[in-house]
Amino acid sequence: MSKEVVLVVEDEESFVEALRVGLAREGFRVEVARDGVEALTRFDTVRPDLVLLDVMLPKASGIDVCRQIRKKSQVPIIMVTAKSSEIDTVVGLEVGADDYITKPYRLTELVARMRAVLRRSSVDSSAPVAGLGPSAIEIDGITLDPEVHEVTVDGAVVTMPLKEFELLHLLLANAGRVVSRENIIDRIWGMDYVGDTKTLDVHIKRLRSKIESDPSNPTRIVTIRGLGYKFDKPR
């Protein structure tokens, strides 16, 4: 069986060498790029199964690299951020990263996250969320059609990446009922998800920006404090 290929985008040599040895020991084939421009070139050449992408890079930032990769591929991306750079984490998730990890990190935690996103990406992306039907749902001016992966909001088609689409599908299918944060994460990211709940918060924010007339005062996707989220049916 061929080894899964990881493109490590990192300019700190100590991290590069440690990852070469550690990830190879865990059964991965490691390819390396040391700046943002090289990362994009190597991505096209190597066609990796996963990208481990540092935020702070020479020539082009990890955020820019992530944004460019997402224009052409849904390959799993894990961002690596400095411990104090919460803004990098949020922006990274907003431009399409699947997960993030902060320096310094333990190899065991990194490998667990890598394997989790690889398992999730191996599922057919055209399949509906587990337990949800394939029929179109129409509520409060929003129509979601799982068969063609299409969402319209007040008659206009709105483009959504897979995770946003699945999240909206889950909330619409349970319209009027609170869906707990834990349930959402289990259903959308999988029970083996090892990150924190910030990923969910970012995706909710992005969804609101696309379906709410005033995202800062949402009336469709509402927060139920201490519990989770609810798609509020119109009275």
Side-chain angles (χ1 to χ4, degrees):
M1 186 173 66
S2 59
K3 293 183 178 181
E4 288 168 310
V5 179
V6 180
L7 177 60
V8 173
V9 187
E10 173 63 70
D11 65 323
E12 292 186 46
E13 201 60 36
S14 60
F15 276 95
V16 170
E17 290 310 311
L19 288 169
R20 276 190 193 277
V21 174
L23 294 180
R25 189 183 301 124
E26 293 291 334
F28 295 97
R29 196 182 101 208
V30 179
E31 300 287 341
V32 178
R34 289 177 170 80
D35 62 60
V37 173
E38 184 185 5
L40 294 172
T41 302
R42 294 286 288 157
F43 180 84
D44 292 334
T45 303
V46 172
R47 300 179 66 84
D49 298 295
L50 182 146
V51 179
L52 184 62
L53 179 60
D54 193 56
V55 171
M56 301 298 294
L57 294 168
K59 298 186 180 180
S61 74
I63 300 297
D64 290 334
V65 172
C66 184
R67 186 180 288 113
Q68 291 302 312
I69 289 175
R70 276 293 170 259
K71 289 180 180 180
K72 55 188 175 183
S73 173
Q74 290 301 309
V75 67
I77 298 174
I78 297 179
M79 303 291 293
V80 180
T81 71
K83 192 167 186 178
S84 60
S85 301
E86 183 173 343
I87 186 64
D88 290 338
T89 299
V90 173
V91 173
L93 293 171
E94 286 181 341
V95 298
D98 295 271
D99 199 358
Y100 70 94
I101 192 167
T102 56
K103 292 180 178 176
Y105 52 77
R106 294 178 300 167
L107 182 66
T108 52
E109 180 187 3
L110 173 62
V111 170
R113 291 181 181 230
M114 290 169 62
R115 288 181 172 149
V117 298
L118 284 167
R119 278 193 295 271
R120 294 196 297 271
S121 71
S122 68
V123 177
D124 180 4
S125 64
S126 65
V129 178
L132 298 181
S135 302
I137 302 173
E138 185 173 0
I139 300 174
D140 191 26
I142 297 176
T143 301
L144 181 147
D145 190 343
E147 295 274 339
V148 295
H149 193 88
E150 183 176 271
V151 176
T152 60
V153 180
D154 299 326
V157 175
V158 176
T159 302
M160 289 187 184
L162 178 62
K163 283 291 180 282
E164 289 178 36
F165 185 90
E166 290 179 339
L167 177 55
L168 181 60
H169 191 184
L170 181 62
L171 292 173
L172 285 173
N174 292 277
R177 293 183 291 174
V178 179
V179 185
S180 72
R181 298 174 67 89
E182 293 79 11
N183 193 8
I184 293 172
I185 290 171
D186 286 350
R187 295 287 292 276
I188 305 303
W189 282 272
M191 295 183 70
D192 58 356
Y193 180 67
V194 292
D196 62 26
T197 59
K198 190 176 296 175
T199 298
L200 171 58
D201 297 332
V202 170
H203 280 76
I204 290 289
K205 179 181 177 183
R206 289 162 64 181
L207 262 184
R208 284 172 170 162
S209 73
K210 295 176 180 180
I211 72 169
E212 300 278 2
S213 56
D214 180 4
S216 61
N217 294 288
T219 58
R220 284 168 166 158
I221 298 178
V222 296
T223 302
I224 309 300
R225 296 200 178 278
L227 294 175
Y229 295 97
K230 176 176 70 172
F231 191 95
D232 217 7
K233 286 182 176 180
R235 298 294 192 272

